Amino acid sequence: MELRALGSTGIRVSPLGLGTVKFGRNQQVKYPSSFEIPDDQSVRHILAVARDLGINLLDTAPAYGTAQQRLGRLLPGPREDWVIVSKVGEIFEHGASRFDFSHAHALASVEQSLRELNTDYLDCVLIHSDGDDLRILEQEGVLDALRELKERGLIRAHGMSSKTVAGGLRVVRDMDVVMATANLEYDEERPVLEAARRMKKGVLVKKGLMSGHVGGAEGVRASMAHVFSLPGVSSMIVGTINEGHLRQNVALADELA
Ligand code: NAP
């Protein structure tokens, strides 16, 4: 896979990124079927296959259960070979999510992510929105905290995994990267993608396979063709713990991206 610019960050990413929810969390998720969290050997194997196939981008979060600790222990190869995107703001504990977008929590959470991921920098940290994007950006301390962390060199870029068009547009104006939802059944955030392309900001697409509800190989192909036809997409993040699916997705990205 040919790497693409993540907006104007100077970071280059594979057009297909690997989502890691299923590495660490199987409660309160929206996938078609329940699943066991894979053991260390399986996670190590999926990561090695992903790397060998040309994926350099990993999407993770403190809210993905043990995913970050596991990446910290199991990620193969030199750290610089990977682009690690994490998040801040959602806390998943005792089977439920809560949110904290304060300045203090953002600093403490990113420092904890650095420890868990066993690294001294994160390539990008996204605000993990609860849906109230504009309120978070305008009234909470998290945005300033991310700016400070960037100045201190602990994170290379910042952004938001947003849920609204107004929020996504604000992210494109004020931050480096937007993570937006786009798939065959949901096109509302297209103006965000168009604005990001105009302003040369990074775009990560989430839920491009509708969290797995796309109906077989043809559905996966049609979904990926759709996402890669959208304006401004830097990378489509697809979560999988199945090696066959991973290989299929990379082959499609090679053909369609
Ligand atoms: P998704 O990527 O649309 O779908 C993932 C699901 O699709 C998994 O259940 C996976 O199952 C299945 N799948 C993957 N490849 C497949 C294939 N070739 N054939 C059939 N099924 C396939 O949805 P998502 O996990 O909700 O989102 C992707 C990533 O985006 C997440 O891992 C996460 O990193 C990120 N995300 C972020 C947010 C946020 O608010 N920031 C929200 C949602 C997601 P198998 O394991 O069986 O392959």
Side-chain angles (χ1 to χ4, degrees), residues 17-23 30-33 35 58-61 64 85 87 90 126-129 160-163 179 181-183 205-217 219-221 224 236-250 252:
L18 182 63
T20 64
V21 176
K22 292 175 106 175
F23 287 8
K30 295 172 190 154
Y31 302 115
S33 42
F35 61 95
L58 297 172
D59 179 72
T60 191
Y64 297 169
V85 176
K87 307 195 187 71
E90 180 178 345
L126 306 173
I127 301 170
H128 212 157
S129 177
M160 184 180 221
S161 175
S162 51
K163 298 201 176 180
M179 177 179 255
T181 300
N183 59 53
V205 168
K206 64 187 169 185
K207 302 184 188 176
L209 299 187
M210 294 187 258
S211 304
H213 302 268
V214 284
V220 172
R221 164 179 279 274
M224 290 184 67
M236 173 177 180
I237 307 293
V238 178
T240 185
I241 49 173
N242 176 308
E243 180 183 348
H245 290 166
L246 177 62
R247 290 185 182 279
Q248 180 188 9
N249 299 343
V250 172
L252 287 168

Side-chain angles (χ1 to χ4, degrees), residues 111-130:
E111 278 167 16
Q112 184 173 345
S113 292
L114 288 166
R115 283 193 295 276
E116 290 180 354
L117 287 158
N118 193 22
T119 181
D120 54 8
Y121 72 97
L122 294 171
D123 296 277
C124 183
V125 173
L126 306 173
I127 301 170
H128 212 157
S129 177
D130 62 358

Side-chain angles (χ1 to χ4, degrees), residues 17 25 44 58 61 67-68 74 76 91 93 110 115 124 126 133 148 152 156 189 198 200 204 208 219 234 250:
R25 170 170 157 185
R44 217 183 257 120
L58 297 172
Q68 295 202 136
L74 304 172
I91 302 130
E93 273 172 352
V110 170
R115 283 193 295 276
C124 183
L126 306 173
D133 301 341
E148 286 163 31
R152 286 165 57 193
R156 294 174 72 192
E189 292 172 39
R198 274 198 308 279
K200 299 193 169 40
L204 304 175
S234 317
V250 172

